[in-house]
């Protein structure tokens, strides 16, 4: 049997820019949408199953589309607090995290696109 499992982590670096649209910029509560683009680079450390096998995963990179929606709340003239949900979607079909967990006899995973979301709570200071 398998004595130990290690590795298997995926690291993703995102970089790009976006445009934020605030329909009611002078109100205390300001809903907004954000659209942007950029690129990503994903690398992985291989999953090692002690005494059995080592699964390998190739790195991947490609363009990314970002869409966000959120709410900005003005605390006072200098400080705002905001919450937003980001959704990232790549257009590269080579992202295969399934290769990290496949068995030794299984065929390699088919490529897919990197997609994930994040919820952000932040604080803004206006100069």
């Amino acid at each position: 049997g398998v004595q130990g499992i290690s590795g298997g982590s995926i690291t993703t670096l995102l970089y790009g820019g976006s445009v934020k649209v605030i329909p009611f910029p002078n109100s205390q509560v300001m809903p907004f949408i954000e659209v942007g683009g950029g690129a990503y680079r994903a690398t992985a450390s291989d999953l090692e199953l002690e005494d059995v096998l080592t699964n390998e995963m190739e790195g991947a990179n490609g363009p990314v589309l970002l869409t966000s929606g959120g709410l900005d709340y003005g605390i006072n003239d200098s400080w705002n607090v905001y919450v937003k949900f980001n959704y990232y979607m790549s257009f590269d079909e080579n992202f295969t995290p399934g290769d990290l967990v496949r068995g030794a006899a299984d065929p390699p995973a088919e490529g897919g696109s990197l997609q994930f979301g994040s919820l952000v709570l932040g604080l803004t200071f206006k100069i």
Side-chain angles (χ1 to χ4, degrees), residues 7-13 40-46 57-60 95-101 114:
S9 66
I10 298 173
T11 303
T12 303
L13 173 64
Y40 81 96
R41 179 170 175 76
T43 56
S45 64
D46 299 335
M57 179 184 151
E58 294 294 323
F95 191 75
T96 54
D99 280 346
L100 291 174
V101 294
L114 174 68

Side-chain angles (χ1 to χ4, degrees), residues 1-4 50-52:
V2 176
Q3 300 297 316
E50 187 178 312
D51 300 328
V52 179

Side-chain angles (χ1 to χ4, degrees), residues 22-118:
I22 304 171
F24 311 108
N26 296 324
S27 64
Q28 187 173 15
V29 178
M30 298 171 280
F32 64 85
I33 58 171
E34 192 171 352
V35 177
Y40 81 96
R41 179 170 175 76
T43 56
S45 64
D46 299 335
L47 179 66
E48 297 177 12
L49 307 178
E50 187 178 312
D51 300 328
V52 179
L53 61 95
T54 299
N55 282 348
E56 297 178 1
M57 179 184 151
E58 294 294 323
N61 57 57
V64 172
L65 173 67
L66 161 68
T67 57
S68 300
L71 194 63
D72 205 332
Y73 178 78
I75 299 170
N76 58 37
D77 289 340
S78 298
W79 292 95
N80 282 15
V81 64
Y82 66 91
V83 62
K84 73 175 179 174
F85 178 76
N86 298 318
Y87 178 73
Y88 300 91
M89 181 179 69
S90 76
F91 298 102
D92 176 33
E93 294 294 323
N94 295 323
F95 191 75
T96 54
D99 280 346
L100 291 174
V101 294
R102 68 182 170 87
D106 296 336
E110 300 227 357
S113 62
L114 174 68
Q115 299 179 31
F116 65 94
S118 66

